[in-house]
Amino acid sequence: MKSVRSDAVSRRRVLKGAATVAVASSVPTGWAIAQAKPLKVGLMLPYSGTFAKLGENITFAVEILLAEKGGKLGGREVQIVKLDDESKPENGPQNAERLVKRDAVDVLIGTVHSGVQMGIHKVVRESGTLCIVPNAGANAVTRELCAKNVFRTSFTNWQPAHGMGLALGKRGIKKAAWITWDYAAGAESGDGFKEGLAKHGGEVVKTLTLKFPETNFQPLLAQIPDLGVEAVGSFFAGGGAIQFVKEYKAAGIKVPLCGSGFLTEGVLGPQGDAAEGIETALHYGDGVDNPKNAAFRKAFKDKTQRDADVYAVKGYDAAQLLALGLEAVKGNLEDEANLYKAMRSAKFDSPRGAVSISPSQDIVHNIYLRRAEKGENKVVGIAAESLADPGTGCKL
Ligand code: BEZ
């Protein structure tokens, strides 16, 4: 069976061959033929399950950026192909192959779940397809497994939780627990939290986990009062985060709950009073004050009747980064050297504030400290300014 990589390479060779013939016979070049075709952008995201709303918000935001650009990127019409990955890691590689091989997408934007991301990553590394990660934080994607065709506009799992650990450590917290789903996002966020805390002499004395996407929190919550900790850090998101925060409050646990900001992001409405006062750290928050954010929030509300959240922001930025790269090469994806150069050196205004791309092609951004108050994740400080992931092991 032919590999995806050899298909992609031979597709490029066909185009290059066509260009050579065209010069001799003055018919349109291979590139001119390719340019006339719409640019196919695959959105591989969860549209069902616990992360469904996250995938929807990313999609709406991509559509908003496209509409702002008149439906074209780098002069090319854009055709969107959507695929529901259901946040199922076991189907990740097969779903990514469907987009890359069957649908022949030129660009893949995806996904939310770190485990599914690893499946996408395997496929796009082999095929050379340009991939922009709009949420999943799996560290390896922009660390030891980084690739020149893969960019991330979201975060590494390490980043937000590291900010939370630093903030607790600075205020003198010495003993904390970590509670999460047992998969990459939970474990890697836990490492970031632990490292942040340790910088100020604090430690995580206990880690409590359950399988993704299970929500049987009671046996874990029951252990917390006897741990002798001053804070409980956590990573949960989407539907699971709603239930966790409500059950934590209902259990009457006196130890303050905090976490990576996904814990309260986009879910404060259904969490209600249970979320009041919870501190989290994230690369976005209510009260981030800049013109880009004001315009984006309005556009998002007008389109969806929902308030924008961090997922929407990262989807918008995935499309912003793609637009910026394609504009630099006038829509010619074959000009990889200049496309990647433009994307790597990108500095742009995100609704979250000014951002840039790190040498390992992850995003560099502020990590805000937020407190949940009356339905808002109010920014109360900066936990880490312009924080770049260490990019450990990445050689590009
Ligand atoms: C992740 O799996 O990487 C993830 C999922 C939801 C929110 C944040 C991160």
Side-chain angles (χ1 to χ4, degrees), residues 51 54 87 111-117 135-138 152 155 157 181 183-186 188-189 212 235-238 260 262 282 310-311 314:
F51 290 160
L54 286 53
S87 294
T111 187
V112 167
H113 183 289
S114 279
V116 180
Q117 195 68 47
N135 185 73
R152 173 150 53 193
F155 63 98
N157 287 322
W181 278 312
Y183 83 111
E188 293 171 355
S189 300
F212 176 87
F235 168 87
F236 292 105
S260 186
F262 307 105
L282 199 62
V310 77
Y311 307 106
K314 292 177 291 190

Side-chain angles (χ1 to χ4, degrees), residues 79-160:
Q79 182 189 344
I80 299 276
V81 183
K82 294 179 193 166
L83 188 151
D84 178 8
D85 68 33
E86 304 170 84
S87 294
K88 288 193 174 154
E90 63 278 21
N91 298 341
Q94 188 190 333
N95 281 332
E97 286 219 348
R98 272 174 60 193
L99 284 174
V100 167
K101 287 180 119 178
R102 187 194 68 185
D103 300 324
V105 297
D106 298 296
V107 182
L108 197 162
I109 295 181
T111 187
V112 167
H113 183 289
S114 279
V116 180
Q117 195 68 47
M118 296 318 292
I120 294 181
H121 200 59
K122 180 177 178 299
V123 171
V124 296
R125 264 166 66 103
E126 271 176 35
S127 66
T129 309
L130 174 60
C131 176
I132 304 180
V133 185
N135 185 73
N139 289 343
V141 167
T142 51
R143 287 192 182 176
E144 65 275 16
L145 295 180
C146 68
K148 67 180 178 23
N149 55 313
V150 179
F151 293 79
R152 173 150 53 193
T153 57
S154 50
F155 63 98
T156 60
N157 287 322
W158 177 88
Q159 282 173 310

Side-chain angles (χ1 to χ4, degrees), residues 9-343:
V9 170
S10 57
R11 195 169 68 223
R12 277 181 204 134
R13 283 203 189 112
V14 169
L15 288 174
K16 281 184 188 137
T20 317
V21 173
V23 170
S25 60
S26 22
V27 290
T29 62
W31 161 232
I33 294 164
Q35 194 188 28
K37 290 200 308 189
L39 184 87
K40 265 196 182 182
V41 178
L43 295 186
M44 180 163 155
L45 292 165
Y47 297 113
S48 58
T50 198
F51 290 160
K53 187 171 170 228
L54 286 53
E56 285 164 18
N57 281 4
I58 291 168
T59 305
F60 289 139
V62 169
E63 289 168 354
I64 287 171
L65 188 282
L66 274 179
E68 285 173 4
K69 299 278 180 190
K72 287 187 173 184
L73 295 183
R76 290 176 71 178
E77 295 286 345
V78 175
Q79 182 189 344
I80 299 276
V81 183
K82 294 179 193 166
L83 188 151
D84 178 8
D85 68 33
E86 304 170 84
S87 294
K88 288 193 174 154
E90 63 278 21
N91 298 341
Q94 188 190 333
N95 281 332
E97 286 219 348
R98 272 174 60 193
L99 284 174
V100 167
K101 287 180 119 178
R102 187 194 68 185
D103 300 324
V105 297
D106 298 296
V107 182
L108 197 162
I109 295 181
T111 187
V112 167
H113 183 289
S114 279
V116 180
Q117 195 68 47
M118 296 318 292
I120 294 181
H121 200 59
K122 180 177 178 299
V123 171
V124 296
R125 264 166 66 103
E126 271 176 35
S127 66
T129 309
L130 174 60
C131 176
I132 304 180
V133 185
N135 185 73
N139 289 343
V141 167
T142 51
R143 287 192 182 176
E144 65 275 16
L145 295 180
C146 68
K148 67 180 178 23
N149 55 313
V150 179
F151 293 79
R152 173 150 53 193
T153 57
S154 50
F155 63 98
T156 60
N157 287 322
W158 177 88
Q159 282 173 310
H162 187 67
M164 190 68 242
L166 284 174
L168 286 188
K170 262 193 206 155
R171 98 178 45 135
I173 299 290
K174 294 291 175 228
K175 282 189 190 308
W178 180 253
I179 178 164
T180 190
W181 278 312
D182 184 14
Y183 83 111
E188 293 171 355
S189 300
D191 291 343
F193 181 74
K194 205 181 296 173
E195 280 175 40
L197 202 54
K199 279 204 176 139
H200 297 281
E203 60 174 331
V204 171
V205 294
K206 180 81 179 174
T207 297
L208 300 164
T209 61
L210 76 170
K211 275 199 189 132
F212 176 87
E214 285 177 7
T215 53
N216 179 21
F217 300 119
Q218 290 305 322
L220 304 184
L221 293 175
Q223 298 178 47
I224 293 175
D226 296 332
L227 294 176
V229 294
E230 305 153 84
V232 175
S234 61
F235 168 87
F236 292 105
I242 298 173
Q243 192 174 331
F244 176 71
V245 164
K246 283 181 159 177
E247 290 192 20
Y248 195 95
K249 173 82 177 179
I253 299 166
K254 296 286 171 270
V255 189
L257 176 63
C258 64
S260 186
F262 307 105
L263 184 67
T264 54
E265 187 67 13
V267 287
L268 282 175
Q271 284 171 338
D273 284 350
E276 204 58 16
I278 293 180
E279 274 188 326
T280 58
L282 199 62
H283 33 280
Y284 191 56
D286 292 309
V288 170
D289 186 14
N290 65 62
K292 193 87 183 175
N293 193 30
F296 176 66
R297 289 189 77 88
K298 179 175 181 329
F300 196 83
K301 186 89 178 191
D302 288 349
K303 181 179 169 74
T304 65
Q305 286 75 58
R306 295 179 181 178
D307 287 322
D309 59 12
V310 77
Y311 307 106
V313 168
K314 292 177 291 190
Y316 185 74
D317 288 344
Q320 285 212 88
L321 184 62
L322 178 60
L324 195 146
L326 284 167
E327 278 155 18
V329 294
K330 298 190 171 51
N332 182 5
L333 269 186
E334 303 295 317
D335 185 359
E336 283 179 355
N338 286 315
L339 175 70
Y340 297 155
K341 190 169 157 208
M343 292 175 76

